[in-house]
Amino acid sequence: MGTPINIIAGSTIWVEDPKLAWIDGQVIKIKGHEAEIETSDGKKVVAKLSNLHPKDMEAPPAGVDDMTKLSYLHEPGVLRNLRTRYEFNEIYTYTGNILIAINPFQRLPHLYDSHMMQQYKGAPLGELSPHVFAVADVAYRAMINEGKSNSILVSGESGAGKTETTKMLMQYLAYLGGRSSTEGRTVEQQVLESNPVLEAFGNAKTVRNNNSSRFGKFVEIQFDKRGRISGAAIRTYLLERSRVCQVNDPERNYHCFYMLCAAPQEEIEKYKLGSPKLFHYLNQSKCFDLVGVSDAQDYLATRRAMDIVGITEKEQEAIFRVVAAILHLGNIDFAKGKEIDSSVIKDDKSRFHLNIVSGLLMCDAHALEDALLKRVMITPEEVIKRSLDPLNATVSRDGLAKTIYSRLFDWLVDKINVSIGQDPNSKSLIGVLDIYGFESFKHNSFEQFCINFTNEKLQQHFNQHVFKMEQEEYTKEKIDWSYIQFVDNQDVLDLIEKKPGGIIALLDEACMFPKSTHETFASKLYQTYKNHKRLLKPKLSRTDFIISHYAGEVLYQSDQFLDKNKDYMVPEHQDLVTSSKCPFVAGLFPPVDEETPKSSNKSSKFSSIASRFKSQLQQLMEILSSTEPHYIRCIKPNNHLKPAIFENVNILQQLRCGGVLEAIRISCAGFPTRRPFFEFINRFGLLAPEALQGNYDDKVACKKILEKKGLKGYQIGKTKVFLRAGQMAELDARRAEVLSRAAKIVQRRVRTHCARKQFIALREAAECIQASLRGNLACKLLDKMRREAASIKIQKNTRKYQARNKYNKLRVSILALQMTLRTMAARKECLIRRQNKVATLIQSQWRCHRASSYYKNLRKASVVTQCRWRGRLAKQELRKLKMASRETGALKEAKDKLQKQVEDLSLRLQLEKRLRTDIEEAKAQEIAKLQTSVQAMGNKIDETNSLLAKERKALRQALEEAPPVVKETQVLVEDTEKINSLKVEVENFKALFEAEKQRADESDGKLVEAHELNEERRKKLDDSDKKILLFQESLNRLEEKIANLESENQVLRQQAVSIASNKFASGRQRSILQRGSESGHFVDTHYRDLHSPSMNHREAEVEEKPQKSLNEKQQENQELLIQCIMQPLGFTGNRPIAACIIYKCLLHWRSFEVERTSIFDRIIQTIGHAIEAQDNNDILAYWLSNASTLLLLLQHTLKATSAAGMAPQRRRTSSATLFGRMSQSFRGIPHGVSLAFANNGMTGDIDSLRQVEAKYPALLFKQQLTAYVEKIYGMIRDNLKKEISPVLGLCIQAPRTSRASLVKGSSRSVANTAAQQELIAHWQAIVKSLGTFLNTLKGNHVPPFLVRKVFTQILSFINVQLFNSLLLRRECCSFSNGEYVKAGLAELEHWCYLATEEYAGSAWDELKHIRQAIGFLIIHQKPKKSLDEISHYLCPVLSIQQLYRIGTMYWDDRYGTHSVSSEVISSLRVLMMEEANGAVSTSFLLDDDSSIPFSVDDISKSMEKTDVSDIEPPPLIRENSGFSFLLARAD
């Protein structure tokens, strides 16, 4: 597509490579028409300039989703884009409206779940990422809107994923127009359930695929007028019948043959089967088994599929008998007979198989032999039987086998169609064509010829469609395209099918002549088309021929063309099969009407497979021509059938075979490059800067740029610039030159800056060196001066040292002399003092001894005196006791004394027990006393120390003042003794103090430990108490809930039981008796009066008389209440009047305690009628406020008991009426409660409301009210979603005007301001809707709890929609778009701030996914971010799949920066593969939560208490006397 002019030295180009097909490189130099190139792998090659293609260096790193957006639409550009997207698991890519699907060879469940279907539903083609769902949605929308049938053509070679793509198409179409669940299995399910049957009988192993479909399948999905699927039909085309008899190695025959050979043993014995190696139709190839496939299991699965489809056991047995008969039929061999050109059964083995075939087909063995060996010729004169030679007999045998198998396959298809069901009244359908692709092998026979003929036909249809799409694009843009020529392959089709003289006609002609061979056919073909450019003759073969198809040249071997083409039905075969005793076998061949011998003769007219093939193909083309086509091209990335392997050469060949490159040629014939104005200006605006000055028009600017560069042949449409082939490369070359000049200017400036910087650095270095040298000289001079000063100082110190030494020696000598003299004087004085001290010590010791001896003697004498006196007294007492013992009463006295002693001891024991407790209590007091005593003792010691210090000081003064005389020695000794005694006493006190202190410390430590242990236990006790209280509260709530649920469930169960006929009088008495027992004294005093016969009689009379009038009055009051609440009553404060009035009336009428009443149903119906207008949010908010308040009051009032759980077995006579309930209320007043309270039934505070034992109607009313609160809440939430949904689609992507303004310079600041206002307008519309909605809810006093829940779910909905759109649309994952969405999120955050936490709550946290995703888009230096930093700090909420998708789809349209590094992408891919291999695979899309996020308990806990006492009744009921109880409380 590029031209040699555009290739210059330094250009980055694509060059052909034998291994990689195309490889990128850089042009080193150009010589004439050749260029030397250095490839990316380091090699240097030389290639012609005409064979080079320019490489787009500005292509997005993740590729483009539509290849028409490529700057260079050529083979290497297409291949590179597909490879790039495949590496990112983007398996779908558009080429215009053609979808290219590359088989990933792995499960990608997140691409096909219900979330993805919901996203593509109704989305225009190209708005979201390419997907098979998008093609199906476009076909469905076109069928619904235009009323025209559509078709989807799925093509590709074996293993490319055609069948799986077809399944996905049918799943999505069933999702759009599926039947309801009550109608049983969907059409899509039935079609998919038939796949195992069709695959067993129509699929076989080929060279490239183990499960290749050898027939074309066209599934017609029929729709009714409402767009719902009403039926379906499967049309099969072009079954490869020749495979039944001829199989090439290493392929296999159809799967059903091998399945039957692997069937259970009883089946094998019944059909006389064995190993596949024993049958001629199977052992032509050495491949019998498939790796990883069990034919035995597949046989059982096929039988199960037949059961599902509706094939009976008898029919299944007949089907497999026919399959076994075909296998045995292939083992019948023939030999020459005795006559000329005759044949017979070869041997006993062949005779054995002949008998088995006749038994399986239930026909006569002799008739079967005649049908195989003879032919009947009918002439006007006679009927002639002609024998066949062995070769023709073999052909006859194979013809019978192919015909039977073909009829069997057609019967299966018809049976499946009957099972699925067709709609004869359907006028719209979507057809899905699954057909084999172009085939070119090493050996190509008749099958490849037919398949390639089919693909030539489809390619012509495809080319016409592509050219039509090009015409529509050009017409839409209003450009001239009349001179563009259409690329057509009609000459190839004429070569094959033209009559007379086409290849098919020549082949049929050769088959009709008995002596024709493939050599005569080939020679005839060469002679007829010797000058045809599409038919070539090989040099080394006489029977082969080459056809130049659109996908390339294919060499065909014609040696088996004639045998495989023969398909006429022999009358003998027809008669044989129709004479079968098996109805199934006979039904495969409907009888031919015998009219005349002439008609019988015509019935044996020759027919061929090629002719039938051609007619079926013509029918298929007619169907496709009557529909609007859509194309899906399936690609197999490698022949290893493994993921992540992309073989360039293989894929390029498939692109040629699939017609994708042909479509590119068609586009290149016109305008292959088309760019929107803003993208063109953004890329090439620098070629003409003057065209972008001022307020310019995009179209005019583009025209000026093209005119300035002198391009010819381009076209400018309404929104795009259309360039011819090569012009984009020329503009890029010019752009590269401008950028090169700009780069040189930048380089010149940079080099100047570098040189100047280097000069300044050198100058600074020279100055630094000079300063260093000068400093060195100054240092040397300073060192010299320091040395001189140091020498002078040393001399001075030396002289000083010498003089000081002399002085010190003299001083030491004098001091030594003085010390000697003073020592002698001191020794003399010390000797005198020692003598005096020894004398004094001797005196003190003597006096002490004398005093001690006197004291001991005196004590001894006193002890002796005392002992003698006490002995004397004891003797006197002994004498008295001896006299007393002799008396008679002495024993009794002793006994009494002993008894008293025992009593005293017992009392003392009790006292000791009491004292022990007192002692233990006193220990703490003793510790405190010890502490105080220790403190006092410490104070005393301090005082003693101070006194001792004073005495010592006084003693020293006295010693210094007193002269040393001998007569004062006594005083000194006494003071010394006193001091010593005081020291000993102080030491004792210190020891005692230390002991007491240690004891006190131990006591303090124990006390502290006891306090700590006590505090810890107290804390644990408090925590335990708190937990017990919490558990008790939760237990009470759970018990209350369980009681309510049990009672309600019991009521519901008991309602089914028949009500007993006896009355409820005894129950009435029991209830009054129970109330009396509960009420206490008040009821006890009146019990006899209330139940006396006279009282009962009077009560019955009083109740019977006003019974009718009271019921009517009650109905009038209820009707008035309903009329009142139907009007908007408004609010008192923040309390809804209607809810409070309803509650007070129901409580006063005691409606909660009756078994039957209609007031609850009427209230519910009133609420239901009021909210019928779902779009009026004001009414919905009003009733949500009333319903939630009333539900809160009921929640606190109603109490379910065992009585409520019992069904009303006996009807009450009086309590069901108004009078009876009023009288019951008077009788049931508890003791201590005033009559006024009984009349009003309530007080001001809700805590003081008495709980009512609710009956079944009240509990049911509560449940219905709960349901209506949830319903109204959901309607309000859904209304807000509907209101903001249209604007949300505009909020995810910034308008293109803003992107275009980025390249138009600063002169358009005013326009940019207007653009910014336009950008933020969508977000402001959402904020305005939220604000209006909030004011509506506030105005109707909706509880803040419910308001928070609404806005939490709404912001979650915004988060889901924005985030899913971001992941599905690559154009949204850009830097500028991230800034746009960030500005909008800032508006939402400001609104949440203004709404306050009371109403917004934590709604802002619901936007965490889109906030983190947008934060990732606008963050800088993404390649430097690690996976850990991204997944744990930047985007911790996002999953691995979401991070991978954003990372691969990101593109910077402002600064041209790159996404995260390739290492991060690889790590994400590995983690994503690990998650995909797990048991559960999640989708990368978010799911919108539409559930009700609260319960009745949540409402009761969150809402404030409501005071209903001072509610003013409305005027309608204020004047009515029946509602006077409302006025009493209001006053």
Side-chain angles (χ1 to χ4, degrees), residues 1496-1515:
V1496 179
D1497 291 338
D1498 296 334
I1499 296 177
S1500 62
K1501 291 178 184 177
S1502 60
M1503 291 179 61
E1504 297 180 355
K1505 299 174 182 178
T1506 304
D1507 184 9
V1508 300
S1509 61
D1510 58 345
I1511 298 297
E1512 185 71 20

Side-chain angles (χ1 to χ4, degrees), residues 1311-1363:
N1312 288 338
T1313 304
Q1316 291 295 332
Q1317 294 177 355
E1318 180 186 357
L1319 289 179
I1320 210 67
H1322 303 311
W1323 289 97
Q1324 289 176 348
I1326 292 180
V1327 171
K1328 183 178 179 182
S1329 298
L1330 295 177
T1332 304
F1333 218 81
L1334 178 59
N1335 294 332
T1336 301
L1337 297 178
K1338 282 184 178 179
N1340 289 279
H1341 299 285
V1342 176
F1345 169 76
L1346 296 179
V1347 177
R1348 289 194 297 271
K1349 292 296 183 182
V1350 168
F1351 287 112
T1352 298
Q1353 285 196 313
I1354 290 302
L1355 264 67
S1356 175
F1357 171 73
I1358 294 175
N1359 176 67
V1360 169
Q1361 296 300 318
L1362 295 180
F1363 188 75

Side-chain angles (χ1 to χ4, degrees), residues 1273 1277 1345 1349-1350 1352-1353 1489-1495 1498:
Y1273 171 86
R1277 178 197 61 201
F1345 169 76
K1349 292 296 183 182
V1350 168
T1352 298
Q1353 285 196 313
D1489 184 14
S1490 298
S1491 61
I1492 302 300
F1494 58 84
S1495 62
D1498 296 334

Side-chain angles (χ1 to χ4, degrees), residues 1407-1425:
L1407 298 171
K1408 52 190 175 183
H1409 287 87
I1410 187 66
R1411 283 162 46 200
Q1412 292 185 9
I1414 294 303
F1416 174 80
L1417 292 181
I1418 62 176
I1419 197 173
H1420 296 284
Q1421 297 181 346
K1422 291 182 182 64
K1424 295 183 180 180
K1425 304 295 181 182

Side-chain angles (χ1 to χ4, degrees), residues 270-271 303 311-325 360-362 404 408 411 582-585 588:
K270 179 169 65 173
Y271 299 131
R303 294 296 291 260
I311 302 176
T312 63
E313 287 289 336
K314 185 176 181 181
E315 291 174 339
Q316 293 180 32
E317 193 268 339
I319 289 171
F320 286 105
R321 274 197 292 105
V322 172
V323 174
L360 293 174
L361 295 181
M362 295 185 183
I404 293 176
L408 175 62
W411 183 91
C582 176
F584 178 81
V585 176
L588 295 178

